[in-house]
Amino acid sequence: MQAKSFDLNDVVEMKKQHPCGTNAWKIIRLGADIRIKCQGCGHSVMIPRREFEKKMKKVLVRANEE
């Protein structure tokens, strides 16, 4: 399986949408745990890297494209 590539400030799509209705999350911290921020309501969540890689669908916007 291909390794998913993502970086700080990328906007990613997760498999399940947030209760506010959006599916876009911005990566605001990288490390053993990854903190992501909902683009709809601003709620942030910290999850382990392994779980994040499993739940991430794709990168919507790369940070260096902005």
Side-chain angles (χ1 to χ4, degrees):
M1 187 172 179
Q2 184 182 10
K4 296 179 181 176
S5 64
F6 50 86
D7 206 5
L8 193 62
N9 294 321
D10 284 354
V11 177
V12 297
E13 180 182 353
M14 302 300 277
K15 288 183 180 175
K16 292 186 178 178
Q17 74 179 25
H18 193 246
C20 74
T22 188
N23 219 12
W25 296 79
K26 185 174 186 177
I27 300 172
I28 57 175
R29 182 185 180 277
L30 288 175
D33 294 323
I34 296 177
R35 183 175 293 275
I36 54 177
K37 184 175 184 179
C38 178
Q39 294 296 90
C41 65
H43 181 77
S44 68
V45 179
M46 186 176 281
I47 58 176
R49 179 179 284 267
R50 174 175 255 152
E51 185 180 333
F52 173 81
E53 289 174 348
K54 203 184 311 181
K55 291 183 176 182
M56 185 185 95
K57 253 188 184 175
K58 63 183 176 183
V59 176
L60 298 174
V61 180
R62 296 248 177 230
N64 56 7
E65 290 179 358
E66 292 178 341

